């Protein structure tokens, strides 16, 4: 567990409420997740597609535990704050050039809350005819009754608090914390 002075130094005294997943628990789970992904995929092209910015800590840790050939690319989805477009469209600010046809695509996300972003993105990517499309999320709040598609690989089921650290932000703060903590809303 990080000490409170350590947390305070990293957050500039802003503080967090409670550490939810510490560095050690994360390292253990991410290593297991890498093994699960290694075992799951048959031979063929695997493209690990990270959703920025939230995956920027999780994805590099994860791919180092996937023991098979793979490629890495990233997506940037336009953020609409809390309000999402009702059209079912999702706008990509950065779209990888790579052709998804015939590839196993593993979409990597930091956290699934309502799951609406991911559902739209999955629909868009499926239209590009990958061999398969699966989702790996570091955290899952399990709020939605049924997600289509749901994540096949989940780091941790998370509390419904607002969480920061290990890539997750609050107004762009706290992404660099090596642990996950909750903050008061
Ligand atoms: P969803 O579309 O409601 O699943 O929202 C997913 C996105 O919202 C994530 O990729 C995060 O960027 C953000 N988000 C949702 N919950 C949290 C949280 O607890 N902490 C930080 N970001 C969150
Ligand atoms: Mg995000």
């Amino acid at each position: 567990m990080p000490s409170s002075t350590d947390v305070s130094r990293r957050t500039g005294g802003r503080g967090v409420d409670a550490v939810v997943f510490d560095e050690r628990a994360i390292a253990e789970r991410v290593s297991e997740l890498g093994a699960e992904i290694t075992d799951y995929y048959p031979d063929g092209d695997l493209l690990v597609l990270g959703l920025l910015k939230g995956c920027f800590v999780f994805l590099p840790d994860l791919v180092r535990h996937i023991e098979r050939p793979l490629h890495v690319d990233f997506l940037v989805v336009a953020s609409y704050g809390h309000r999402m477009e009702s059209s079912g469209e999702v706008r990509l600010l950065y779209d990888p050039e790579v052709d998804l046809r015939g590839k196993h695509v593993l979409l990597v996300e930091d956290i699934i809350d309502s799951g609406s972003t991911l559902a739209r993105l999955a629909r868009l990517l499926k239209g590009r005819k990958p061999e398969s499309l699966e989702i790996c999320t570091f955290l899952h709040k399990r709020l939605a009754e049924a997600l289509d598609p749901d994540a096949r690989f989940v780091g941790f089921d998370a509390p419904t608090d607002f969480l920061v650290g290990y890539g997750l932000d609050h107004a762009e703060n706290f992404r660099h914390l090596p642990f996950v903590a909750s903050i008061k809303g």
Side-chain angles (χ1 to χ4, degrees):
M1 281 290 173
S3 72
S4 54
T5 42
D6 180 44
V7 172
S8 179
R9 201 174 55 225
R10 289 176 194 268
T11 62
R14 273 199 192 89
V16 292
D17 285 333
V19 174
V20 179
F21 301 110
D22 67 20
E23 220 175 325
R24 198 164 145 188
I26 293 172
E28 260 174 42
R29 184 63 195 123
V30 172
S31 152
E32 287 171 6
L33 213 44
E36 285 173 33
I37 292 167
T38 305
D39 288 347
Y40 177 78
Y41 281 103
D43 288 345
D45 294 336
L46 174 62
L47 174 66
V48 177
L49 204 49
L51 217 59
L52 289 173
K53 301 179 201 169
C55 77
F56 91 105
V57 180
F58 174 47
L59 184 144
D61 280 355
L62 179 68
V63 290
R64 282 177 284 183
H65 291 287
I66 303 178
E67 296 177 357
R68 56 157 292 146
L70 58 79
H71 289 182
V72 175
D73 213 325
F74 297 94
L75 283 172
V76 181
V77 176
S79 166
Y80 299 97
H82 286 298
R83 226 168 302 156
M84 298 300 298
E85 284 196 326
S86 56
S87 61
E89 295 290 314
V90 57
R91 199 160 61 89
L92 298 182
L93 298 180
Y94 171 73
D95 194 352
E97 301 288 307
V98 56
D99 188 0
L100 302 189
R101 265 174 304 183
K103 298 202 168 83
H104 295 290
V105 176
L106 179 64
L107 200 53
V108 176
E109 168 70 309
D110 53 355
I111 185 165
I112 297 182
D113 189 329
S114 72
S116 64
T117 321
L118 215 52
R120 283 153 202 231
L121 190 56
R123 237 171 287 145
L124 183 147
L125 294 176
K126 273 187 179 163
R128 298 181 184 180
K129 308 286 179 214
E131 179 69 24
S132 68
L133 179 70
E134 300 293 352
I135 293 162
C136 175
T137 187
F138 174 54
L139 301 175
H140 200 318
K141 287 194 181 171
R142 307 280 181 201
L143 289 177
E145 296 228 322
L147 289 178
D148 181 25
D150 204 346
R152 180 168 293 274
F153 305 101
V154 177
F156 298 99
D157 284 357
T160 54
D161 311 347
F162 198 84
L163 302 172
V164 295
Y166 202 67
L168 292 121
D169 75 305
H170 178 254
E172 293 302 326
N173 293 308
F174 308 115
R175 287 196 197 272
H176 65 306
L177 301 181
F179 48 84
V180 171
S182 58
I183 57 168
K184 288 201 179 83

